[in-house]
Amino acid sequence: EAGVTQFPSHSVIEKGQTVTLRCDPISGHDNLYWYRRVMGKEIKFLLHFVKESKQDESGMPNNRFLAERTGGTYSTLKVQPAELEDSGVYFCASSANRASGNTIYFGEGSWLTVV
Amino acid sequence: RKEVEQDPGPFNVPEGATVAFNCTYSNSASQSFFWYRQDCRKEPKLLMSVYSSGNEDGRFTAQLNRASQYISLLIRDSKLSDSATYLCVVNKAGANNLFFGTGTRLTVIP
């Protein structure tokens, strides 16, 4: 069974440009999360989808970040316009419904460098 | 104050050694506790959940002290393949998001 997949694995963009990261969760997982690790810091929660609905977006840093999960399958995270401090690793994760166990599985991350 | 504090290390130990990692968490409402393992430039992977009574999985033993808000991980008979970063992770009651420590880097030396 495929795990959580993310695209692109690496991206280098200039300040002011736009980047869109994509995440395909494990098939059948209703819960989808975005996390981020900037250099020297811990991994931090950004937001949580249950199916297509945003359950919790308290970790989104500002309105330059937009996450969507149309149809409740894959998700995108768009950064527009990108700033230098947005550089880091963006992890997507997914889990099944709580009633059936909620181990959270992570993707390998999208490494973003803003120059 | 950070939700989860860990000693970043690095810990460099010889093969066969026993090594212990500790972490503390700040929110007494934290409900679930985990140790994740992360290899270089890879994703975090669940190593084990941590239960109040303490739990063991092979060479790995995890302990939780709710009164002190303290979590530990003990690795016995270290293997070269144990080299990784170990992340202390908690989540709060009613919340589905995880709070991570910065991780403790372990290198097992031949």
Side-chain angles (χ1 to χ4, degrees):
Chain A
E1 180 181 341
V4 178
T5 56
Q6 294 187 241
F7 181 84
S9 58
H10 294 79
S11 182
V12 180
I13 62 171
E14 292 184 350
K15 177 183 172 183
Q17 289 187 319
T18 298
V19 63
T20 300
L21 310 177
R22 171 173 171 141
C23 169
D24 287 81
I26 292 172
S27 179
H29 280 189
D30 288 343
N31 296 293
L32 186 149
Y33 313 84
W34 284 98
Y35 285 81
R36 171 174 83 163
R37 183 171 198 161
V38 297
M39 188 179 292
K41 301 286 188 180
E42 69 274 20
I43 297 171
K44 282 191 174 179
F45 169 79
L46 296 179
L47 88 160
H48 168 211
F49 285 98
V50 177
K51 297 185 180 178
E52 68 277 5
S53 300
K54 290 178 185 173
Q55 184 76 10
D56 180 354
E57 52 184 330
S58 60
M60 294 288 265
N62 53 61
N63 60 11
R64 295 185 294 102
F65 289 76
L66 175 65
E68 294 180 320
R69 192 183 182 193
T70 307
T73 54
Y74 72 91
S75 174
T76 57
L77 179 64
K78 181 191 287 188
V79 185
Q80 179 182 33
E83 299 289 344
L84 299 179
E85 65 265 24
D86 300 332
S87 296
V89 188
Y90 290 77
F91 290 106
C92 178
S94 72
S95 68
N97 289 335
R98 187 177 290 274
S100 60
N102 59 351
T103 298
I104 297 177
Y105 299 89
F106 284 80
E108 291 196 353
S110 289
W111 294 71
L112 173 65
T113 302
V114 183
V115 297
Chain B
R1 184 182 173 188
K2 288 184 179 179
E3 293 278 345
V4 181
E5 298 268 10
Q6 279 185 263
D7 179 349
F11 284 65
N12 299 314
V13 303
E15 268 187 292
T18 296
V19 61
F21 305 137
N22 306 311
C23 94
T24 57
Y25 58 95
S26 61
N27 194 321
S28 59
S30 296
Q31 182 181 46
S32 302
F33 309 89
F34 312 92
W35 283 100
Y36 274 71
R37 171 194 167 125
Q38 187 175 22
D39 292 288
C40 188
R41 301 186 75 82
K42 291 290 188 180
E43 74 276 23
K45 289 184 179 178
L46 179 65
L47 177 66
M48 59 196 302
S49 300
V50 187
Y51 304 114
S52 295
S53 54
N55 48 299
E56 187 174 306
D57 182 2
R59 297 181 293 108
F60 299 83
T61 301
Q63 297 277 353
L64 167 66
N65 184 323
R66 285 187 183 269
S68 302
Q69 296 180 195
Y70 171 95
I71 306 162
S72 67
L73 176 68
L74 184 77
I75 304 175
R76 291 182 300 278
D77 188 23
S78 299
K79 310 291 185 190
L80 297 178
S81 57
D82 293 335
S83 297
T85 295
Y86 290 83
L87 302 164
C88 180
V89 182
V90 308
N91 80 347
K92 299 177 194 175
N96 223 8
N97 53 300
L98 301 175
F99 294 89
F100 285 79
T102 51
T104 300
R105 176 81 186 134
L106 170 67
T107 301
V108 181
I109 302 164

